Amino acid sequence: MSPSPRRRAALLAAALAAASLTVLVTGGTPAAAATCPTTASGGASVPFRTVEAECSATTGSAVGPDYTQASIASEASGRQAVRIGSGQYVEFTLPAAANSINVHYTIPDGSSGRLSVYVGGTKLGSGLSVTSRYSYVDTGFISGSKTHHFFDDARLLFGQNAAAGTKVRVQADSGDVGQATIDLADFEQVGGAGAKPANALSVADYGATANDSSDDTQAFRNGLSAARSQGKELFVPSGRFEIGSALQIDQTTVRGAGPWYTVLHGNNIFNNGGASGNIKLYDFAVFGDVTERNDGSPDNAFHGVLGNGSVVSGLWIQNTKCGLWLMNGASSNLTIENNRIQDTQADGVNFDGAVTNSALRNNYLRNNGDDGLALWSNGQADSGNTIANNTVVQPNLANGIALYGGSNNTVSGNLVQDTNALGGGYLVANRFNSVPLGGTVTLSNNTALRAGALDPNWQFGVGALWFDARDQAITGVTIRVTGFTAIQSPYEAIQFIDGNGQGKQIQGVTIDGVSVQGVGTFVAQSQTQGTATISNLSASGVGVTGTYNCPYPTSIPKMTFGGSGNSGWTGTWSDCSSWPAPNSGPPQPPQSGSNIARGKAISSSSSQGGFPPGNANDGNADSYWESANNAFPQTLTVDLGAAASINKVTLKLPPSSAWGARTQTVTIAGSTDGGSYTTLVGSRGYAFDPASGNTASASFTATSQRFVRLTFTGNTGWPAGQVSEFEVAAS
């Protein structure tokens, strides 16, 4: 059987979220979409679908890709965006039903206004309010920083439900801003506003009034006091409430009607000098008005102590300095989950010492002006904490996820994407006078996508995963890294350094089971001494050579690398007096058995709307290509970019049990010039069964081909050719 319509919608959502397609629209003359950026799985499960502007129909112009610090594109997701002027648009296709849009954009410095939104061809009465007020930030006190933080977010409820496949256009109409650069849009089906729980108190009963300019601080203080004394929740209904001075909270639950409905407006909503705990914050938004970073001011949505057993869940935090900055005392057994923290001037979340046995999980962070998530063992160790299944996109001046000292902390299942200057993807360090690393530090099953950057002070690259003995040697600690994936790292994948240039040792690091898929310079880069074990690391697309091992100062021994089972990254850089440019080394042959079709140019004789050929080699088994129905034969052709020796083709369908077993009849052919094809495997049936992974393969005698073509002449499960992954193995 074919997937049900509901399943089709889910798979279409996955396809578009993977951003591997060009969307065509009727009406107007949209420009050809840019090459869609590579995507990666992992990280947070979120209620919205993201569609990249550069993968959508547009009459605007492409911006990027560009990794240069202080360029607009360098801060965009995928390092690409679309610029529109008056009368131009980006038109997104909804990957799933939605009734809202959140656009990540930038406009010229000093400007503000609106952008028009059309849903299904009809212009909405209210557009997106856009401003540069929170952008173009300068932090001269941070060495190496340049003007940054270009993007911001604007959101809007449609006032209607739009089905999957609906066209949503963001356009600069007459009277709107004259120019905007659109990075992406998030689309969400937002539920209705939450009602006041039974037996809860409402802050409105204590004098809080929504959607006016009056200061609601005292009403909130009175409501918090009453809720605590009565052992009840404090409910905050829909609307925007002004919080002019910080609130203190302890042993109390505050619940909003949902982050799209309840907004607390202020720069520092909660500020606790002390608290025992059991603080529960649920389902509201915090929007600040922080236009510059001032590290002497606590301009954070939450600042201070959460105590024991507190929960922060379902918050949308935007335009504050930080999301949560925990300090001033001990906090433990916290749960910080399911939050959206974006466009902050500094960190998303920082555990500033003495936070223990707590979980940071399933949070989505974007465009934070410093570390996305950081454990900083400042004065007292952060210990026993877990950072799990979070997504961090485009931290501007630091790292995606950072461990500054501390003990027995775990980082697992996260996705860090598109980091910028002055940081990397994941950092483990003795830095910022932290309590030194101790116990066992675990990093497992994390992914870095386009993570790492050229450091403007050092003038060499920072890694997707890096270890820094800046304050003191990393010794007396066990650091275990397993299941790490680094994709398209601009510079090195893994780095060992003493950031103060004194050659302090790094010991106790074991790295096992790593996939490096494209790296600008080196797989492993060491600039200090010590020992590290790297095993079962498979690399492809190495830009210069396998290893850089040049300690500083030069008088100290080189790093000693141990391990086994590594492949695809031979060679050591020999000239320690120079730094090679990314991707300046000789082309490296693909590793035997590696899939050399992923991300390459791919075309088809036809495709069903929403299921383009790009879905068949995007690395995402849940997205798929489908040909026109009832029109066999159909072809799917991948261009490997250059002739390569190949000996196997593997075909996959989505692994979900929603796909019934089927047999597809396929011929496999190859070509050196894209014109004349030779049969590699004659027409035969390939059985796909979800019970065994919905995978089929064919091996053949090694042959040199540039183009590989599949010709479909039958499918017992649906009258079309269908492929979720078309893999070609190097011999």
Side-chain angles (χ1 to χ4, degrees), residues 72-89:
I72 294 291
S74 72
E75 290 191 15
S77 169
R79 316 303 174 114
Q80 302 179 72
V82 173
R83 181 170 293 126
I84 58 174
S86 182
Q88 295 181 318
Y89 63 82

Side-chain angles (χ1 to χ4, degrees), residues 93-111:
T93 300
L94 287 187
N99 60 4
S100 69
I101 185 174
N102 178 63
V103 174
H104 197 53
Y105 72 92
T106 181
I107 58 177
D109 195 10
S111 60

Side-chain angles (χ1 to χ4, degrees), residues 132-386:
S132 66
R133 179 173 176 79
Y134 308 107
S135 306
Y136 300 91
V137 175
D138 292 299
T139 50
F141 56 91
I142 299 176
S143 177
S145 69
K146 299 179 180 180
T147 301
H148 63 284
H149 206 64
F150 300 117
F151 285 89
D152 197 16
D153 284 82
R155 66 183 191 173
L156 178 69
L157 289 167
F158 295 157
Q160 59 183 284
N161 294 324
T166 301
K167 309 299 184 181
V168 177
R169 179 178 292 190
V170 177
Q171 181 165 302
D173 282 344
S174 176
D176 292 351
V177 292
Q179 178 182 298
T181 300
I182 309 299
D183 181 16
L184 53 81
D186 302 323
F187 295 100
E188 180 177 354
Q189 184 68 40
V190 180
K196 181 173 76 70
N199 205 35
L201 305 178
S202 174
V203 71
D205 294 336
Y206 295 86
T209 55
N211 305 319
D212 59 19
S213 59
S214 64
D215 191 332
D216 298 296
T217 304
Q218 191 57 52
F220 271 76
R221 286 178 178 153
N222 294 341
L224 287 168
S225 176
R228 182 177 183 183
S229 65
Q230 297 177 43
K232 297 181 178 181
E233 289 189 8
L234 181 64
F235 178 70
V236 186
S238 296
R240 171 168 153 159
F241 297 86
E242 303 296 327
I243 309 297
S245 57
L247 306 169
Q248 290 72 50
I249 184 172
D250 196 13
Q251 297 290 331
T252 307
T253 296
V254 176
R255 188 182 302 273
W260 280 87
Y261 299 105
T262 299
V263 177
L264 306 187
H265 183 242
N267 291 348
N268 180 204
I269 304 300
F270 298 100
N271 193 326
N272 274 359
S276 58
N278 196 31
I279 299 164
K280 308 292 176 66
L281 306 177
Y282 295 116
D283 304 330
F284 58 86
V286 172
F287 276 70
D289 189 34
V290 180
T291 60
E292 298 289 341
R293 174 173 173 175
N294 178 0
D295 285 353
S297 182
D299 298 326
N300 311 316
F302 186 97
H303 183 89
V305 184
L306 277 169
N308 181 62
S310 296
V311 176
V312 179
S313 179
L315 270 57
W316 180 318
I317 300 173
Q318 185 171 323
N319 298 138
T320 58
K321 184 179 73 174
C322 299
L324 289 81
W325 190 281
L326 304 188
M327 62 179 296
N328 295 335
S331 294
S332 59
N333 300 301
L334 309 177
T335 301
I336 299 173
E337 64 182 1
N338 306 327
N339 301 294
R340 199 177 319 191
I341 304 174
Q342 56 193 26
D343 308 321
T344 59
Q345 299 287 346
D347 300 49
V349 179
N350 191 303
F351 287 2
D352 183 2
V355 180
T356 58
N357 302 319
S358 296
L360 272 166
R361 64 191 183 209
N362 206 61
N363 300 288
Y364 182 90
L365 301 99
R366 184 168 65 209
N367 192 37
N368 306 109
D370 209 287
D371 294 316
L373 300 171
L375 307 187
W376 179 23
S377 293
N378 183 21
Q380 299 182 64
D382 292 322
S383 180
N385 300 300
T386 299

